């Protein structure tokens, strides 16, 4: 039986970040991931990293290895109505409000750093049958890529950071938004000027995030409409985007369209007996405002600080409860923040249409309110007074 102080299930960016944050803790740590390493590194999704996330990745020693594109300006508007607002990094004395990086590139940089510490990473290893006892959790390990094929692992704490939540269990809250996200790469004529666009439409938000010398697109629409848009030739779909954004950005090409459904799912309690859930295993958020990974990394960093402060047995109920309680405000704040944005900005109800315009106008005219929203997106609950 393999013995660990901490077994992390999932060797994606969230699980790898936790391992790296605890590399000097003295804990015996191992990671297991059901996927091959190459599959994790090939993840094409574009992640929006807040400035606070950059600070954490600098602490972890991986920031300089990332091919990250800065976002220095964010232009927010709604289609067919007045009101817009703009956020600028210079207003906060920062090099950028956020950054865009490919998920696979982030995972690869974190993996390289973890391997330099000597922490064990078991690829193609499925962890099943978690059973919590008084002193440890036991689990079965299986997979062609594992030297522990068919073995049993024992850990004082298991951190589940792999895969999304499964609906149907009493502790999981679920809301189907009735939307799908189309993601793609969009070429531009000229330069993007490190400017991101968030455009609210009656079907849902459309975001353009500077990524390299092009844009990463996140286009939200109803499932039926997403099917229609995916069926369009590239030229016709590109024209559709041009009509949504107008002349504020010169779109030149589109490639690599994919889709995925959008739901809100979260565990009411991310702590169990000698078990914690992190990242998408704890909460799956709508991509509006790009809060998902940033919240996950704040959870990871706080968990690492809690385990370092309490020392001893990492799976004690009191230790895990202290982390959960400390994270409650930020966690539910982010969940409710993104959910409220979707509800307010993803419909064509006429009174709300005018109210949205007024809200965007107010943000532009009231710097303290605008700055608060910007800091909330960059730092989470640390923005609260």
């Amino acid at each position: 039986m393999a013995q660990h102080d901490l077994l992390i299930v999932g060797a994606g960016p969230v699980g790898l970040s936790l391992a790296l944050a605890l590399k000097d803790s003295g804990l015996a740590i191992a990671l297991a991931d059901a996927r091959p390493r190459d599959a994790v590194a090939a993840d094409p999704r574009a992640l929006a990293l807040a400035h606070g996330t950059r600070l954490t990745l600098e602490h972890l020693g991986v920031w300089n290895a990332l091919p990250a594109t800065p976002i220095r300006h964010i232009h927010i508007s709604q289609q067919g109505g007045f009101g817009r607002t703009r956020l600028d990094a210079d207003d906060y004395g920062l090099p950028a409000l956020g950054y865009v990086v490919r998920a696979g590139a982030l995972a690869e940089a974190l993996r390289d750093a973890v391997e330099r510490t000597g922490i064990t990473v078991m690829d193609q290893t499925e962890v099943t049958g978690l059973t919590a006892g008084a002193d440890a959790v036991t689990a079965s390990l299986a997979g062609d890529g594992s030297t522990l094929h068919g073995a049993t692992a024992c850990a004082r704490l298991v951190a589940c950071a792999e895969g999304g939540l499964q609906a149907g269990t009493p502790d999981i809250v679920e809301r189907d938004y009735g939307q799908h996200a189309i993601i793609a790469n969009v070429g531009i004529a000229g330069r993007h000027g490190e400017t991101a666009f968030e455009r609210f439409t009656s079907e849902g938000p459309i975001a353009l995030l500077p990524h390299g010398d092009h844009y990463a697109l996140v286009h939200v629409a109803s499932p039926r409409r997403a099917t229609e848009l995916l069926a369009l030739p590239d030229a016709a779909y590109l024209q559709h985007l041009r009509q949504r954004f107008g002349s504020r950005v010169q779109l030149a090409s589109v490639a690599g369209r994919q889709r995925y459904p959008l739901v809100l799912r979260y565990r009411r309690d991310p702590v169990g007996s000698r078990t914690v859930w992190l990242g998408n295993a704890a909460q799956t958020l709508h991509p509006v405002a790009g809060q998902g990974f940033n919240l996950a990394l704040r959870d990871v960093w706080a968990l690492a600080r809690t385990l370092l402060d309490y020392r001893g047995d990492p799976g004690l109920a009191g230790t895990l409860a202290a982390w959960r309680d400390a994270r409650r405000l930020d966690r539910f704040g982010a969940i409710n923040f993104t959910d409220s944005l979707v509800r307010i900005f993803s419909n064509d109800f006429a009174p709300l249409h005018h109210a949205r315009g007024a809200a965007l106008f107010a943000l532009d005219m009231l710097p303290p309110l605008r700055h608060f929203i910007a800091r909330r997106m960059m730092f989470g609950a640390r923005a609260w007074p």
Side-chain angles (χ1 to χ4, degrees):
M1 181 180 291
Q3 303 282 343
H4 309 289
D5 292 315
L6 172 62
L7 174 62
I8 302 171
V9 183
V14 174
L16 290 166
S17 295
L18 179 60
L20 201 55
L22 291 168
K23 65 182 177 64
D24 297 321
S25 65
L27 297 173
I29 302 170
L31 297 96
D33 197 298
R35 300 164 293 177
R37 174 174 178 167
D38 290 348
V40 180
D43 189 339
R45 294 174 301 153
L47 294 179
L49 309 181
H51 177 72
T53 294
R54 170 185 172 161
L55 299 180
T56 301
L57 294 174
E58 286 178 343
H59 281 299
L60 297 179
V62 300
W63 179 255
N64 290 337
L66 292 178
T69 304
I71 300 173
R72 300 197 69 251
H73 318 283
I74 302 176
H75 186 282
I76 306 168
S77 62
Q78 69 167 336
Q79 184 185 21
F82 80 101
R84 63 94 178 151
T85 193
R86 182 180 171 95
L87 306 177
D88 292 288
D90 289 344
D91 291 341
Y92 309 96
L94 298 175
L97 295 166
Y99 302 83
V100 181
V101 67
R102 188 173 60 83
L106 176 59
E108 189 70 4
L110 288 164
R111 177 65 178 263
D112 289 344
V114 166
E115 289 184 340
R116 288 194 293 270
T117 70
I119 294 173
T120 298
V121 183
M122 299 174 285
D123 297 310
Q124 295 178 263
T125 300
E126 187 174 4
V127 180
T128 59
L130 293 174
T131 304
D135 300 317
V137 178
T138 58
S140 299
L141 304 179
D144 294 339
S146 173
T147 57
L148 298 174
H149 177 64
T152 300
C154 179
R156 293 196 291 173
L157 174 63
V158 172
C160 298
E162 180 178 69
L165 293 165
Q166 298 300 314
T169 60
D171 190 50
I172 294 177
V173 176
E174 179 177 18
R175 179 176 297 118
D176 187 343
Y177 288 118
Q179 296 176 330
H180 281 204
I182 298 172
I183 60 174
N185 295 318
V186 179
I188 55 175
R191 298 183 178 182
H192 51 57
E194 300 173 341
T195 299
F197 292 91
E198 184 92 37
R199 183 81 160 150
F200 291 101
T201 76
S202 60
E203 293 181 333
I206 307 177
L208 289 172
L209 305 175
H211 189 200
D213 58 1
H214 60 275
Y215 274 111
L217 169 74
V218 182
H219 182 178
V220 176
S222 69
R224 179 189 61 79
R225 186 61 174 146
T227 298
E228 294 172 353
L229 292 171
L230 284 172
L232 291 176
D234 286 346
Y237 180 67
L238 185 64
Q239 183 59 31
H240 175 81
L241 293 179
R242 287 171 175 159
Q243 292 170 354
R244 294 298 181 270
F245 282 95
S247 61
R248 56 180 48 86
V249 58
Q250 300 301 311
L251 306 180
S253 63
V254 64
R257 278 178 283 167
Q258 301 178 41
R259 74 190 289 177
Y260 60 93
L262 299 179
V263 297
L264 169 65
R265 287 196 189 110
Y266 64 90
R267 290 183 181 273
R268 291 186 176 92
D269 188 349
V271 167
S273 179
R274 293 193 171 272
T275 308
V276 296
W277 287 271
L278 299 164
N280 283 337
Q283 63 268 327
T284 301
L285 307 184
H286 194 284
V288 65
Q291 292 296 293
F293 178 73
N294 297 296
L295 172 62
L297 194 60
R298 295 196 297 269
D299 287 342
V300 162
W301 187 251
L303 178 60
R305 296 305 96 188
T306 300
L307 296 181
L308 290 170
D309 288 343
Y310 281 77
R311 298 289 179 176
D313 184 345
L316 291 178
T319 302
L320 302 182
W323 168 74
R324 175 193 59 210
D325 294 345
R327 294 298 302 146
R328 183 174 283 115
L329 174 63
D330 188 23
R331 183 170 183 255
F332 285 102
I335 290 170
N336 291 326
F337 176 63
T338 56
D339 186 49
S340 297
L341 284 178
V342 176
R343 289 170 174 269
I344 293 171
F345 283 96
S346 291
N347 63 76
D348 207 21
F349 184 52
L352 271 182
H353 185 77
H354 297 300
R356 289 193 296 262
L360 290 172
F361 180 76
L363 280 177
D364 206 47
M365 297 300 294
L366 298 172
L369 179 59
R370 185 172 72 250
H371 296 342
F372 172 77
I373 295 295
R375 289 186 58 81
R376 181 65 182 81
M377 294 173 64
M378 289 188 284
F379 299 109
R382 283 181 286 175
W384 295 94

